[in-house]
Amino acid sequence: AHVADTAFQRQYRQEFVAGFEDRQSILRATTVQEAVIKGNEAVFLVADSGSAIAVTRGVNGLIPARADSLTQTTATLREYHDLVRKTDFNIFASQGDQRRIMQMTSMGTINRQIDDLIITELDTATNDTGTAQIGSFDLVNFALTILGNNYVDVSDVDNLFGVITPGMHGYLMQTPEYASADYVEVRPLTGPIRKFRRWAGVNWLIHPRLTNSIGDGGTSTSEQCFVYHRNAIGCAVDTAGVDARAGYDEEQAYSFARTSIHMGAARLQNRGIVMIRHDGSGYAAA
């Protein structure tokens, strides 16, 4: 009988490779996060003059008085959780640092929920650019013009954001002005430094989960992208913030990672959001 010269042993890499998954919240930093929180409600106050105009004295010599326009918008805080559990045997028998994997995936799940709530509120905007078309300098200027006509300060570069799909980003990259824009580091009120592409007076972010951007290589003929001012959208998180726990149950011999958050989002000013309807179908995966 033939004797093999070698008896190969299967080798496993102990360090795990993170799968491609959206694990960060990139939209929370673009919203108003200050609110009065009572119980399960977060109340945002929007104050203006109510489009008042200056007046002259009345015939009685007195100046007519008026009241300010004060609008309170409430975001209902709800509980959101993600719990991962693995037995001792699964951790022992599995490749890679399973405890670290649990913590990473649990936090990523909660961060996706934060952005999904904000996207849901952005989707309620009623100002849009009309029939979907491919990304261009003209399309961006159209959206900014709508904002300007709604009295939004389009020179307030630190508070203007554009959230676009990978498909729209692909078309804008063919625009010389956008392609040559420098990345600018921006430190939001909370969280780590984020990098935005600052161009045309707007801080641009690429988001793969905007409505009708199908994900997994897909795009559609009517992706819902946005330009908006920070004061148009609110995001409230309970004072405890994100509750991230990891532990071990001795009785049942399993490890767990749980991430929880109490949060809500609300559209504060419709006039400060413009939906850019984008046709990204030309970049759908073959």
Side-chain angles (χ1 to χ4, degrees):
H2 175 71
V3 178
D5 294 330
T6 57
F8 293 110
Q9 182 178 6
R10 182 174 292 176
Q11 298 292 321
Y12 290 94
R13 185 175 186 266
Q14 274 304 106
E15 183 65 25
F16 71 88
V17 178
F20 293 120
E21 191 173 43
D22 201 6
R23 286 190 292 271
Q24 289 186 324
S25 169
I26 62 176
L27 298 184
R28 183 180 173 190
T30 70
T31 67
V32 174
Q33 298 181 59
E34 296 181 34
V36 176
I37 297 179
K38 293 183 178 179
N40 70 333
E41 292 185 339
V43 181
F44 296 87
L45 174 64
V46 176
D48 58 39
S49 70
S51 301
I53 58 174
V55 297
T56 58
R57 287 184 182 272
V59 294
N60 59 359
L62 300 179
I63 301 172
R66 64 167 180 84
D68 281 326
S69 173
L70 304 176
T71 302
Q72 292 178 292
T73 300
T74 299
T76 301
L77 301 179
R78 291 184 171 87
E79 290 185 60
Y80 297 95
H81 307 275
D82 183 68
L83 174 62
V84 194
R85 182 184 296 153
K86 293 179 182 175
T87 66
D88 261 5
F89 179 77
N90 284 341
I91 291 175
F92 168 76
S94 298
Q95 180 183 2
D97 186 343
Q98 293 297 313
R99 291 183 178 87
R100 183 179 162 205
I101 292 171
M102 286 193 297
Q103 291 174 290
M104 178 187 73
T105 60
S106 184
M107 180 62 75
T109 299
I110 292 299
N111 281 335
R112 284 195 297 276
Q113 181 62 38
I114 293 172
D115 277 14
D116 287 346
L117 290 178
I118 295 171
I119 290 170
T120 296
E121 293 302 312
L122 289 172
D123 280 344
T124 66
T126 60
N127 296 313
D128 63 54
T129 54
T131 304
Q133 54 186 291
I134 63 173
S136 65
F137 193 18
D138 180 64
L139 183 59
V140 169
N141 278 325
F142 184 14
L144 291 176
T145 299
I146 295 173
L147 281 183
N149 287 339
N150 283 328
Y151 303 106
V152 176
D153 182 2
V154 291
S155 68
D156 189 9
V157 65
D158 289 333
N159 291 305
L160 284 177
F161 298 94
V163 183
I164 59 178
T165 60
M168 183 168 175
H169 172 71
Y171 281 111
L172 290 182
M173 281 298 291
Q174 300 173 55
T175 303
E177 295 86 354
Y178 181 85
S180 64
D182 294 330
Y183 279 94
V184 179
E185 287 189 343
V186 179
R187 187 183 295 274
L189 296 177
T190 60
I193 292 176
R194 301 289 187 208
K195 286 188 176 181
F196 301 97
R197 179 180 287 269
R198 181 168 285 181
W199 172 69
V202 177
N203 301 292
W204 297 91
L205 307 97
I206 305 168
H207 206 296
R209 292 197 326 282
L210 295 178
T211 301
N212 294 336
S213 176
I214 303 167
D216 292 329
T219 57
S220 84
T221 57
S222 187
E223 301 173 339
Q224 294 179 187
C225 306
F226 301 92
V227 290
Y228 59 97
H229 192 282
R230 184 192 303 276
N231 290 349
I233 195 87
C235 177
V237 176
D238 195 8
T239 52
V242 178
D243 181 22
R245 303 294 177 96
Y248 178 75
D249 185 289
E250 293 182 351
E251 180 182 8
Q252 296 295 330
Y254 65 78
S255 295
F256 71 89
R258 175 182 59 80
T259 309
S260 301
I261 192 171
H262 293 69
M263 71 157 294
R267 187 190 68 183
L268 304 181
Q269 301 186 76
N270 182 63
R271 65 172 55 187
I273 307 170
V274 175
M275 181 186 295
I276 300 175
R277 296 192 181 275
H278 181 257
D279 183 355
S281 59
Y283 279 147

